[in-house]
Amino acid sequence: MSLPIPGSAVRGSKTGKPIMALLDLLGRTWCLGVIWQLRQGTLSFSELQLRCENISPTLLTKRLKELQQTNLIEKNLQGYQLTAIGFALFQVIAPLSQWSKLWQLSFEEQSMLQESENE
Amino acid sequence: MSLPIPGSAVRGSKTGKPIMALLDLLGRTWCLGVIWQLRQGTLSFSELQLRCENISPTLLTKRLKELQQTNLIEKNLQGYQLTAIGFALFQVIAPLSQWSKLWQLSFEEQSMLQESENE
DNA sequence: GTACTTTACTACATAAAGTGTAGTTAGGTT
DNA sequence: AACCTAACTACACTTTATGTAGTAAAGTAC
């Protein structure tokens, strides 16, 4: 898969609208997960692997390269960390955590409705 | 791929933490793109297909099913639209658009640095 | 009311992406 | 110098996604 760079043609936009490049990048398996796991600082390759449900090393290597080339993470002596702009991205998506709890409630309401139907 | 439902085991979390279920779902090809395209109201199947760079009908059908089953979109007479909670999700990710413009700048700085190196 | 369109899919072969396991390589330890 | 351990790479296999063709159902034209 080619790198989604804002300004170049990407999956979803031939004009390379930055938001489309971003949605392409974030839509790749484990990409959001890696960013999420790095929110508190540096993690080594193997720590990341563990936290990402034993993602295969092949794919982790690939994602780490993509994320470095798209300026979201950088390598240091201890492992990988978010760049300044990568952390800014995390801050944008951080509210997903709160939202996901509401989302969970929507499933519980659904099953309660089903139960009352069965009475 | 099994549906990521918060509260059940998903890719990334055996305990089914809602945020992990969410990151799994959003990390699927075109999922974020479909949500993004539906932000302004209802779109028909074929309109969605067009706006998502001619996503294959096979995959669009599959994603639409997943998004319905996870309470993010619903079908109406004219096509598909975000549910209330789906729209709330869009509002959470809407700031990505602004952020992606900053991100684009980071690439331009990078290429300017390279140019000055070559002098 | 039947022939023609259009829309919304489904089927299926092909291509691309992701997994899992087994190496390899490069630093540090004994 | 032999032995670890962490960080990868290689590769065969499986799962996902694509692209094209086909079907079904609803609307329109005559």
Side-chain angles (χ1 to χ4, degrees):
Chain A
M1 227 183 327
S2 66
L3 264 190
I5 306 286
S8 315
V10 293
R11 184 173 65 180
S13 171
K14 287 182 175 133
T15 56
K17 277 191 188 159
I19 183 66
M20 290 304 158
L22 180 60
L23 297 183
D24 178 355
L25 182 64
L26 298 184
R28 298 176 180 197
T29 312
W30 284 115
C31 180
L32 278 165
V34 167
I35 294 168
W36 198 264
Q37 294 301 337
L38 290 177
R39 69 194 180 282
Q40 286 166 337
T42 297
L43 290 179
S44 69
F45 187 91
S46 49
E47 282 170 317
L48 265 175
Q49 214 186 341
L50 269 176
R51 289 175 191 234
C52 292
E53 198 87 348
N54 284 314
I55 176 178
S56 67
T58 318
L59 186 57
L60 181 53
T61 301
K62 195 173 166 186
R63 285 289 171 272
L64 290 173
K65 272 184 193 154
E66 288 170 0
L67 290 170
Q68 283 176 277
Q69 289 173 340
T70 53
N71 304 336
L72 298 184
I73 67 172
E74 57 199 5
K75 206 172 177 175
N76 62 30
L77 291 173
Q78 286 75 45
Y80 298 89
Q81 66 183 9
L82 294 174
T83 58
I85 194 163
F87 187 71
L89 173 59
F90 167 72
Q91 287 179 311
V92 171
I93 62 175
L96 287 178
S97 177
Q98 271 303 108
W99 179 89
S100 70
K101 290 167 194 164
L102 290 178
W103 183 45
Q104 183 168 34
L105 289 178
S106 78
F107 288 89
E108 288 161 10
E109 280 164 26
Q110 204 177 47
S111 55
M112 273 165 47
L113 281 172
Q114 281 168 0
E115 278 166 31
S116 62
E117 275 171 17
N118 295 340
E119 279 173 3
Chain B
M1 227 178 335
S2 66
L3 263 191
I5 307 285
S8 315
V10 294
R11 182 174 68 178
S13 170
K14 287 181 173 133
T15 57
K17 277 191 187 158
I19 182 65
M20 290 302 158
L22 180 59
L23 297 182
D24 180 354
L25 182 63
L26 299 183
R28 298 177 182 196
T29 311
W30 284 116
C31 179
L32 278 165
V34 168
I35 294 169
W36 198 264
Q37 293 302 336
L38 291 176
R39 69 193 180 281
Q40 287 166 336
T42 298
L43 291 179
S44 69
F45 187 90
S46 49
E47 281 169 318
L48 263 175
Q49 214 186 341
L50 268 176
R51 289 174 190 236
C52 292
E53 197 87 346
N54 284 309
I55 175 178
S56 67
T58 320
L59 186 57
L60 181 54
T61 301
K62 194 171 168 188
R63 284 290 170 273
L64 290 173
K65 270 184 196 155
E66 287 170 359
L67 289 170
Q68 283 176 278
Q69 291 172 337
T70 52
N71 303 336
L72 298 185
I73 67 172
E74 58 200 5
K75 206 171 177 174
N76 62 30
L77 291 171
Q78 285 75 44
Y80 298 90
Q81 65 183 10
L82 294 175
T83 59
I85 193 163
F87 187 71
L89 173 59
F90 167 72
Q91 288 180 310
V92 171
I93 62 174
L96 287 178
S97 177
Q98 271 302 108
W99 179 88
S100 70
K101 290 169 195 163
L102 290 178
W103 183 45
Q104 183 169 34
L105 289 179
S106 79
F107 288 89
E108 289 161 11
E109 281 164 25
Q110 204 177 47
S111 54
M112 273 165 47
L113 282 172
Q114 280 167 1
E115 278 166 32
S116 62
E117 275 172 18
N118 296 341
E119 278 173 2

